[in-house]
Amino acid sequence: MTAPSPQDPPHRAGHVAVIGRPNVGKSTLVNALVGAKVSITSKRPQTTRHRLLGIATFPHGQLLLVDTPGIHREQKRAMNRWMNRAARGALEGVDAAMLVVQAGRWDDEDTLAYDTLRSAGVPVVLVVNQVDRIKDKPSLLPFLARAAEGREFAAVHPVSALKRQGLEGLVDSLLALLPEQPPLYAEDEITDKSQRFLAGELVREQLMRLLGAELPYATTVEVERFEVEGNLLRIGAVIWVEREGQKAIVIGKGGERLREIGSRARAQMERLFGAKVFLETWVRVREGWSDDEAALRALGYHE
């Protein structure tokens, strides 16, 4: 390995929490910084349910991005309360945080997210995402000023995670907040989650994308089988729903929808894992699982 020259900046590495209200593009931002799909995305709020570490490695540093469920006020069900705990728990032991907001919009849930970060006592970078959607560009500067007024931010960065715009400056600002130390993960590592976990998430991503308005929130995925046979992965996934009527909807007429869910998820798995995938899916009913703490733990929702 070539020794660094005296002019090279010191290598920095550390944990950065990614916090914000639901549906502001936190997972898209993590994927863009990592350079690979480690966190599932959809247009629906609360797609992310678990804390997930995305590892973004650069020549001069390494960002360990803690992707979290969106912080929200509604806590009617055990699932909602679990996601809020997961989001707040992500702040433990981090070196810095990103508060991700939507360009042109700041509401009470953004304030809630900011207050959560302020109480954690870590430096916060404000990331104003989706600036590509703002047609009236001159209106962006006044919005940035209003968002920062009366609040303490280490830096403010307007970005488009989807189009990967504005990310270089963001990376530099984040690394400047981290301690000087060597990389904490190998250069080829992109997440701390197992392939088994990621397989379940990729199936759930298709549920979020292909099902009607409320049904995705009544579903979860459990991977019962994950076998490696050379360059072939044999994966068996159970889609859990809460009622028999929901089971019929997920399966679809003649099994058509379930086949589409499986086909799309399999293609994503093969792209991410770099292997051939044989995927089987089943749909089963477990009444009230999303409002049952014991059921959540049994289905892999651990603190």
Side-chain angles (χ1 to χ4, degrees):
M1 181 181 292
T2 304
S5 72
Q7 289 77 30
D8 288 338
H11 189 282
R12 296 177 181 270
H15 290 78
V16 179
V18 186
I19 299 291
R21 63 173 169 79
N23 218 28
V24 293
K26 297 184 297 296
S27 295
T28 301
L29 178 60
V30 168
N31 290 341
L33 291 170
V34 172
K37 184 171 186 172
V38 294
S39 192
I40 65 172
T41 62
S42 82
K43 293 182 179 179
R44 300 187 186 282
Q46 299 174 30
T47 296
T48 299
R49 290 179 180 171
H50 300 266
R51 276 182 281 174
L52 180 146
L53 191 69
I55 304 165
T57 300
F58 306 94
H60 52 304
Q62 190 175 70
L63 300 175
L64 308 181
L65 303 163
V66 187
D67 192 14
T68 63
I71 293 178
H72 52 284
R73 293 188 184 277
E74 291 291 331
Q75 299 191 47
K76 295 179 180 179
R77 302 172 74 81
M79 171 62 78
N80 302 115
R81 295 191 293 273
W82 186 90
M83 287 193 293
N84 269 357
R85 291 199 303 271
R88 289 186 168 89
L91 294 173
E92 297 176 6
V94 300
D95 302 289
M98 285 189 280
L99 173 61
V100 186
V101 303
Q102 180 183 337
R105 176 182 171 185
W106 184 291
D107 62 20
D108 290 344
E109 287 189 306
D110 296 301
T111 300
L112 174 64
Y114 172 77
D115 290 343
T116 300
L117 288 173
R118 185 176 60 178
S119 64
V122 295
V124 180
V125 172
L126 176 63
V127 181
V128 180
N129 193 23
Q130 302 172 354
V131 295
D132 53 301
R133 297 184 183 181
I134 300 294
K135 294 182 179 179
D136 180 18
K137 299 300 183 186
S139 69
L140 186 58
L141 286 177
F143 171 76
L144 295 176
R146 290 195 304 274
E149 186 177 3
R151 302 182 178 99
E152 294 183 14
F153 293 115
V156 177
H157 286 275
V159 306
S160 169
L162 187 63
K163 296 189 175 182
R164 301 180 182 235
Q165 297 173 348
L167 300 185
E168 289 187 9
L170 172 60
V171 169
D172 289 340
S173 289
L174 291 171
L175 287 175
L177 300 173
L178 304 183
E180 294 183 18
Q181 60 181 334
L184 302 175
Y185 288 83
E187 187 176 348
D188 60 348
E189 292 184 272
I190 58 174
T191 182
D192 64 336
K193 294 295 187 182
S194 67
Q195 288 185 326
R196 187 187 193 104
F197 171 87
L198 295 172
E201 286 288 272
L202 290 172
V203 174
R204 193 169 64 80
E205 178 179 53
Q206 298 309 318
L207 296 172
M208 299 296 290
R209 293 186 173 194
L210 294 174
L211 297 179
E214 298 300 324
L215 186 52
Y217 302 106
T219 64
T220 194
V221 177
E222 181 182 19
V223 175
E224 286 193 335
R225 187 175 78 251
F226 193 102
E227 299 170 353
V228 181
E229 299 178 3
N231 197 44
L232 173 67
L233 302 178
R234 293 188 180 274
I235 300 171
V238 176
I239 299 169
W240 290 99
V241 297
E242 296 190 303
R243 297 192 299 274
E244 284 292 338
Q246 296 169 344
K247 178 178 178 179
I249 294 172
V250 174
I251 293 173
K253 186 177 181 180
E256 183 176 351
R257 179 171 284 121
L258 184 59
R259 282 195 296 273
E260 184 177 8
I261 289 167
S263 177
R264 292 191 180 193
R266 179 179 54 80
Q268 291 286 341
M269 291 177 198
E270 290 183 341
R271 187 175 297 115
L272 180 61
F273 302 151
K276 187 73 175 174
V277 172
F278 177 77
L279 174 66
E280 291 184 287
T281 55
W282 303 271
V283 186
R284 297 175 187 163
V285 178
R286 183 165 185 166
E287 292 188 9
W289 70 265
S290 67
D291 200 24
D292 182 335
E293 295 277 358
L296 287 172
R297 288 192 295 273
L299 291 170
Y301 291 86
H302 304 297
E303 293 295 338

